[in-house]
């Protein structure tokens, strides 16, 4: 027979350092995780400007470092997809995440490009 924990026991999750991306999560006896609608908040003009600047920088770096990329066309396609999705009034987080992941992988061989994509990812995560 299992013993019940004392009333008021906190079954929370603790994390120290690192990065965490958490989807549905349930903790403790009888807990359930239920998916709700996930969306971005509306972007302010300043946020839109920062995003546009980051996207433009990546586009410029793709031109400058074309020779260092094993595939020159796919990164541009991902950047275009990302720009279109972020321009949508209600961007789909999954589409944004997948495009960012692919763009990150394409940019990896070129340090300045990889840094610019990382900066874009950080900006998007902060929204």
């Amino acid at each position: 027979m299992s013993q019940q924990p004392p009333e008021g026991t906190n079954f929370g999750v603790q994390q120290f350092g690192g990065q965490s991306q958490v989807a549905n999560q349930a903790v403790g006896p009888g807990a359930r995780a239920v998916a709700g609608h996930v969306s971005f908040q509306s972007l302010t003009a300043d946020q839109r400007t920062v995003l546009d600047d980051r996207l433009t920088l990546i586009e410029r770096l793709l031109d400058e470092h074309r020779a260092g990329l094993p595939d020159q066309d796919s990164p541009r396609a991902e950047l275009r997809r990302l720009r279109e999705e972020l321009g949508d009034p209600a961007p789909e987080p999954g589409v944004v995440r997948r495009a960012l992941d692919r763009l990150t992988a394409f940019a990896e061989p070129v340090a300045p490009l990889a840094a610019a994509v990382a900066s874009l990812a950080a900006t998007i995560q902060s929204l």
Side-chain angles (χ1 to χ4, degrees):
M1 180 174 191
S2 68
Q3 224 177 17
Q4 292 293 325
E7 188 173 324
T9 299
N10 182 347
F11 291 99
V13 176
Q14 292 184 346
Q15 176 178 333
F16 302 95
Q19 180 179 357
S20 179
Q21 295 179 348
V22 178
N24 297 342
Q25 187 175 32
V27 180
R32 289 184 39 198
V34 178
H37 180 70
V38 178
S39 64
F40 285 89
Q41 64 188 23
S42 296
L43 298 177
T44 66
D46 288 343
Q47 289 171 323
R48 172 65 53 205
T49 299
V50 170
L51 274 179
D52 287 342
D53 289 349
R54 301 265 193 280
L55 291 166
T56 301
L57 173 62
I58 291 168
E59 196 165 41
R60 182 175 59 79
L61 290 171
L62 282 171
D63 286 338
E64 289 176 12
H65 297 280
R66 233 178 129 75
L69 297 169
D71 179 350
Q72 287 86 31
D73 297 325
S74 296
R76 286 199 169 282
E78 288 307 327
L79 184 61
R80 192 170 38 256
R81 181 175 295 128
L82 190 56
R83 188 183 290 274
E84 288 171 6
E85 192 62 31
L86 290 170
D88 191 289
E92 291 291 328
V95 174
V96 171
R97 171 58 35 215
R98 286 188 298 277
L100 259 180
D101 288 348
R102 287 188 294 265
L103 191 56
T104 299
F106 289 130
E108 197 171 78
V110 178
L113 184 56
V117 173
S119 178
L120 174 64
T123 299
I124 291 171
Q125 287 175 351
S126 72
L127 300 178

